[in-house]
Amino acid sequence: MIRKIGFAWAAALVLAGASAADAQTWNIDTAHSAAQFAVRHNMVSTVRGDLGAVTGTVIYDGKNLAAAVIEATIDVTGIDTRNEKRDAHLKTADFFDVANHPTMTFTSTKVIPVADGRFQIVGNLTIRGVTKEVTLDAEPLRPVVQGRGGSQLTGTTASTKINRKDFGVSWNRVLDLGGVVVGDDVSITIDVELVLPAAK
């Protein structure tokens, strides 16, 4: 029995090593990726905007999603809600404080495959220097297609909802008739196109 258990454990280690060796680094294509947010305004409407350029990597062997490792950075100095005055306010210490915290980052800790090819990405999101665990719900990875120069392309869309106050983004103003200007819950959607460079 001990021999059998030892053999099984050794085999598992060999397979794990093979999977790690097969893993490849896919790059987030900044030009074709976006991070967007939506938050309630004046209790009656929703303001939507772009958080900024997305960069990062996904280490993935093409088969085992649970072993994938994702790292992403969003340049919030580029936040854009199509209103210059509002964008300028969002960059101040009332909100993202981009002078001291120009980026927000996400690093996965585990990936959980669920039904129909969908998966959840659990990881650490850092905004304004505050790190909290969040879970993103992701659509199935798109079928791989051929890109330019022999590269390969895939992609997905992932979304989550956070309470902005958990990250120190707490500015608000009370309305005359009750309620507040900015809602606490913020929906975040990230569309990514991933590029695997051609082998050299």
Side-chain angles (χ1 to χ4, degrees):
M1 177 64 73
I2 293 175
R3 287 183 179 177
K4 288 183 178 180
I5 293 174
F7 177 78
W9 178 245
L13 287 175
V14 169
L15 290 173
S19 178
D22 292 338
Q24 298 170 309
T25 300
W26 296 71
N27 299 313
I28 294 176
D29 183 348
T30 302
H32 299 102
S33 301
Q36 300 172 321
F37 74 94
V39 63
R40 187 72 71 191
H41 179 253
N42 283 341
M43 311 293 291
V44 296
S45 65
T46 299
V47 168
R48 304 177 189 277
D50 295 318
L51 285 166
V54 186
T55 57
T57 58
V58 176
I59 299 174
Y60 175 51
D61 66 2
K63 300 176 183 178
N64 184 13
L65 263 177
V69 178
I70 300 113
E71 292 189 356
T73 298
I74 300 173
D75 179 8
V76 290
T77 65
I79 196 165
D80 182 9
T81 64
R82 294 163 297 283
N83 182 293
E84 291 184 8
K85 184 176 180 180
R86 180 168 56 212
D87 294 345
H89 190 195
L90 289 172
K91 294 175 184 179
T92 69
D94 283 345
F95 290 96
F96 287 99
D97 191 14
V98 300
N100 295 303
H101 306 285
T103 63
M104 54 189 291
T105 62
F106 177 81
T107 302
S108 68
T109 54
K110 60 182 174 181
V111 178
I112 306 170
V114 291
D116 302 321
R118 296 177 176 271
F119 54 103
Q120 293 181 323
I121 308 168
V122 182
N124 295 317
L125 177 65
T126 302
I127 303 174
R128 285 181 57 123
V130 178
T131 301
K132 299 286 184 181
E133 184 179 84
V134 300
T135 299
L136 291 90
D137 295 308
E139 297 178 359
L141 283 173
R142 313 289 191 265
V144 175
V145 299
Q146 196 74 29
R148 292 183 178 181
S151 64
Q152 298 179 55
L153 309 176
T154 186
T156 188
T157 297
S159 60
T160 190
K161 181 178 287 187
I162 63 171
N163 186 315
R164 63 190 180 90
K165 289 183 177 179
D166 290 342
F167 296 89
V169 185
S170 57
W171 182 91
N172 225 328
R173 189 174 69 241
V174 177
L175 297 169
D176 292 340
L177 296 180
V180 292
V181 172
V182 185
D184 291 340
D185 292 333
V186 181
S187 297
I188 298 174
T189 301
I190 303 175
D191 295 291
V192 294
E193 183 170 310
L194 300 173
V195 181
L196 179 66
K200 294 182 180 180

